[in-house]
């Protein structure tokens, strides 16, 4: 029988605390010290099955507690089978799509395992690899990684995955959206065939389902919410406004005292920078966070946001699943995503840890189709609310792009001239005056055309007098 949370109570008996799930007492102690007393529905369903050794397919939205659902039973097994050798080989591998999510998972595992003996390391790009390589050489039990950097270290012979017993693919749908499918398959090919695999995704499109079918062996299926539904505790609304009015609408929204902390989403990195700058000029503390920022800058911005030092974090979708902050009061879509599923991931940044939240979207006329697709996906009509009245004369003029770089002249290394226009004499990406002479046609394997051939020849023939 299913309870309101979608959990089959007939299978979990009276599991109302972590003790009842069969976890090691050292793990339960760490959870209690951290303030976790009752497992979430995904944890109630998943933890006993993973402890029993089953592969698992979990469909759960962000913020439902799935990190603990896969990491707690893995730590339980690692503690039960301690390795005496100092030269530890990695025994558990957790793949995540973004650096932020990998760091978040690693922090959670460190918290949950604070009273057991194990070693872990995080592997991701954007930082130097030397500390990561040094940690691998010292020996680790758990690796939390993004696919690109991990595969790089594997190909260099610096990371060996032949002893992996537990493999977790987290946020699988996002992994595919970001183009990591080939890297994931190459990593899986390095893993032992005999292993326990745990597969988690917020949505289950056909591509994700096909990947799950390739990786899992007789999995137990766990789902705590319907696919692609949004959290019930989020109050969703939309404001229809022209694109050039959005900046003033956003400033008005963030000036409300009810907005204690907000994540503002844009579609592009450039827009995130411009929006953050506009907010700062309006006296609203904010920082941008996106893929062009260094890992150090991203962590500093996220740390300042968590500490309440800045009110708004302006992010692209790369951060949609890597920001784990319990106290986010609002998510504001400055631009609606052109991929409907990303809307679900974005607004999942609020209403975490049992709290309520708000999601407000600013929708320009050319984004109406995006809104329609989102409503179709979540099977809900988003409430329309009225924004402030904005006059065109109040809209600040667009910032100048700055002077164009001077047109380069010919010579060694000479590049293109005016932006967007090909210079005279360019062929095949080369500038005629760029220091390389054009070879005759015969020198590059092209046949010499006889006189009178080609377009000119055809024109001459067409002008010749006709004969009977």
């Amino acid at each position: 029988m299913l309870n309101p949370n979608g959990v089959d109570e007939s299978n979990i008996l009276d599991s109302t605390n972590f003790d009842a799930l069969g976890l090691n007492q050292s793990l339960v102690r760490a959870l209690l010290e951290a303030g976790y007393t009752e497992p979430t529905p995904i944890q109630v369903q998943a933890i006993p099955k993973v402890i029993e050794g089953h592969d698992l397919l979990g469909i759960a939205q962000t913020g439902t507690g799935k990190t603990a659902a896969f990491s707690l039973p893995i730590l339980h097994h690692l503690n039960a089978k301690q390795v005496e050798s100092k030269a530890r080989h990695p025994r558990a591998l957790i793949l995540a799509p973004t650096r932020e999510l990998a760091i978040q998972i690693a922090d959670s595992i460190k918290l949950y395992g604070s009273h057991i003996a194990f070693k872990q390391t995080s592997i991701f790009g954007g930082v130097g690899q030397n500390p990561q390589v040094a940690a691998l050489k010292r020996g680790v039990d758990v690796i939390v990684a993004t696919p690109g950097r991990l595969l790089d270290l594997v190909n260099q012979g610096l990371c060996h995955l032949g002893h992996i017993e537990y493999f977790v693919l987290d946020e699988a749908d996002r992994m595919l959206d970001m183009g990591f499918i080939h890297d994931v398959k190459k990593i899986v090919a390095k893993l032992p065939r005999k292993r326990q695999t745990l597969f988690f995704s917020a949505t289950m499109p056909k591509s994700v389902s096909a990947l799950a079918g390739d990786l899992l062996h007789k999995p137990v299926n766990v789902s705590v919410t319907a696919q692609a539904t949004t959290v019930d505790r989020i109050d969703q609304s939309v404001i229809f406004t022209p694109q050039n009015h959005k900046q003033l609408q956003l400033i008005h929204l963030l000036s409300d005292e009810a907005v204690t902390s907000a994540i503002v989403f844009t579609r592009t990195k450039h827009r995130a920078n411009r929006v953050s700058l506009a907010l700062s000029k309006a006296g609203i503390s904010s920082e941008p966070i996106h893929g062009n920022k260094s890992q150090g800058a991203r962590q500093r911005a996220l740390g300042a946001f968590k500490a309440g030092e800045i009110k708004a974090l302006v992010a692209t979708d790369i951060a949609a699943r890597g920001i784990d902050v319990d106290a986010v009061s609002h998510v504001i879509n400055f631009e609606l995503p052109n991929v409907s599923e990303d809307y679900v991931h974005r607004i999942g940044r609020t209403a975490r840890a049992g709290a309520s939240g708000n999601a407000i979207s600013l929708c320009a006329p050319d984004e109406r189709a995006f809104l329609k697709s989102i409503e179709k996906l979540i099977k809900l009509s988003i409430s329309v609310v009225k924004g402030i009245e904005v006059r065109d004369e109040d809209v600040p003029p667009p910032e100048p792009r700055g002077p164009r770089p001077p047109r380069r002249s010919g010579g060694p290394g000479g590049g293109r001239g005016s932006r967007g226009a090909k210079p005279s004499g360019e062929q095949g990406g080369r500038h005629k005056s760029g220091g390389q002479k054009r070879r005759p046609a015969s020198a590059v394997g092209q046949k010499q055309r006889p006189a009178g051939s080609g377009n000119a020849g055809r024109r001459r023939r067409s002008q010749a007098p006709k004969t009977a």
Side-chain angles (χ1 to χ4, degrees):
M1 180 178 179
L2 298 180
N3 67 12
N5 290 321
V7 179
D8 188 352
E9 293 181 330
S10 63
N11 291 333
I12 62 176
L13 302 176
D14 295 324
S15 297
T16 57
N17 54 51
F18 288 100
D19 277 311
L21 300 181
L23 287 169
N24 180 281
Q25 286 301 305
S26 295
L27 298 174
V28 175
R29 176 186 167 192
L31 291 168
L32 293 175
E33 289 176 354
Y36 301 112
T37 57
E38 295 183 4
T40 65
I42 187 71
Q43 294 162 6
V44 169
Q45 294 187 74
I47 289 175
K49 296 299 182 182
V50 178
I51 289 178
E52 291 173 6
H54 296 282
D55 280 9
L56 186 134
L57 173 59
I59 307 299
Q61 291 178 336
T62 181
T64 55
K66 55 186 172 56
T67 299
F70 62 72
S71 59
L72 285 171
I74 289 175
L75 291 173
H76 174 90
H77 283 305
L78 293 178
N79 184 68
K81 297 184 291 182
Q82 290 285 346
V83 176
E84 299 296 334
S85 172
K86 292 184 179 180
R88 299 186 179 192
H89 297 287
R91 298 167 59 195
L93 171 62
I94 301 166
L95 285 187
T98 66
R99 293 172 258 180
E100 283 74 22
L101 184 56
I103 293 170
Q104 171 194 317
I105 293 171
D107 288 345
S108 296
I109 291 176
K110 182 179 179 180
L111 175 66
Y112 304 150
S114 58
H115 295 302
I116 67 172
F118 79 104
K119 293 182 179 181
Q120 72 162 342
T121 192
S122 302
I123 294 176
F124 47 78
V127 295
Q129 72 174 37
N130 290 340
Q132 300 169 2
V133 173
L136 291 171
K137 288 181 178 179
R138 289 192 298 269
V140 297
D141 299 293
V142 180
I143 294 176
V144 185
T146 54
R149 171 58 64 86
L150 177 65
L151 188 60
D152 189 25
L153 296 186
V154 169
N155 290 336
Q156 293 180 57
L158 300 173
C159 181
H160 304 282
L161 305 176
H163 293 79
I164 295 295
E165 302 171 33
Y166 312 101
F167 173 54
V168 180
L169 189 65
D170 194 19
E171 305 283 15
D173 49 353
R174 185 63 173 164
M175 199 85 74
L176 269 63
D177 288 343
M178 295 177 68
F180 286 132
I181 180 62
H182 297 297
D183 285 353
V184 170
K185 288 184 176 181
K186 290 176 182 178
I187 290 169
V188 170
K190 304 288 184 180
L191 303 178
R193 296 190 64 181
K194 185 179 180 181
R195 64 176 189 270
Q196 185 176 6
T197 301
L198 313 178
F199 188 106
F200 287 85
S201 184
T203 59
M204 190 55 65
K206 291 182 179 180
S207 58
V208 176
S209 180
L211 180 61
D214 291 339
L215 298 183
L216 300 172
H217 175 68
K218 297 181 179 179
V220 172
N221 294 334
V222 172
S223 178
V224 295
T225 59
Q227 294 184 30
T229 59
T230 49
V231 181
D232 294 334
R233 295 186 301 274
I234 300 176
D235 182 17
Q236 301 173 65
S237 59
V238 60
I239 297 173
F240 293 117
T241 181
Q243 182 68 37
N244 64 334
H245 292 186
K246 284 187 176 184
Q247 185 173 301
L248 292 178
Q249 294 283 1
L250 177 64
I251 291 172
H252 174 75
L253 290 171
L254 292 175
S255 298
D256 190 341
E257 292 182 356
V259 182
T260 56
S261 63
I263 300 178
V264 179
F265 281 104
T266 65
R267 284 200 296 269
T268 67
K269 305 166 190 174
H270 176 67
R271 180 77 71 180
N273 289 335
R274 292 181 63 185
V275 169
S276 181
L277 180 62
L279 293 179
S280 297
K281 287 182 177 179
I284 299 171
S285 56
S286 72
E287 288 287 345
I289 180 170
H290 51 69
N292 278 359
K293 294 287 183 180
S294 69
Q295 186 60 32
R298 288 160 69 169
Q299 287 306 113
R300 285 191 296 272
L302 188 55
F305 184 65
K306 287 182 177 180
E309 298 170 4
I310 58 175
K311 187 172 187 178
L313 201 62
V314 186
T316 55
D317 284 306
I318 192 171
R321 303 197 198 182
I323 302 173
D324 185 23
V325 182
D326 291 342
V328 176
S329 66
H330 288 70
V331 165
I332 301 176
N333 290 302
F334 186 84
E335 296 170 303
L336 284 172
N338 52 5
V339 178
S340 301
E341 287 82 0
D342 285 343
Y343 175 84
V344 179
H345 308 322
R346 287 182 179 187
I347 72 170
R349 296 300 101 199
T350 186
R352 299 175 76 83
S356 59
N358 299 272
I360 304 172
S361 300
L362 303 179
C363 181
D366 61 352
E367 295 176 302
R368 294 289 185 104
F370 298 157
L371 178 63
K372 186 176 181 180
S373 297
I374 289 167
E375 291 180 327
K376 181 179 180 181
L377 177 73
I378 66 177
K379 299 177 182 178
L380 177 71
S381 293
I382 300 175
S383 301
V384 178
V385 297
K386 189 175 182 180
I388 60 170
E389 294 291 339
V390 177
R391 299 176 303 175
D392 287 336
E393 55 264 33
D394 295 330
V395 177
E399 294 182 9
R401 292 180 176 269
R404 288 182 176 180
R407 180 170 181 169
R408 290 182 179 179
S409 60
R416 293 192 175 189
S418 301
R419 182 177 169 185
K422 273 191 175 184
S424 172
E426 184 175 7
Q427 183 181 28
R430 289 180 179 170
H431 198 292
K432 183 178 178 180
S433 59
Q436 295 188 31
K437 295 182 179 180
R438 186 183 296 177
R439 292 176 293 173
S442 58
V444 291
Q446 297 180 9
K447 293 182 179 180
Q448 294 274 5
R449 289 184 175 181
S453 65
N455 292 334
R458 284 194 291 273
R459 284 195 297 271
R460 286 194 293 271
R461 285 195 297 270
S462 65
Q463 295 169 359
K466 293 181 180 180
T467 58

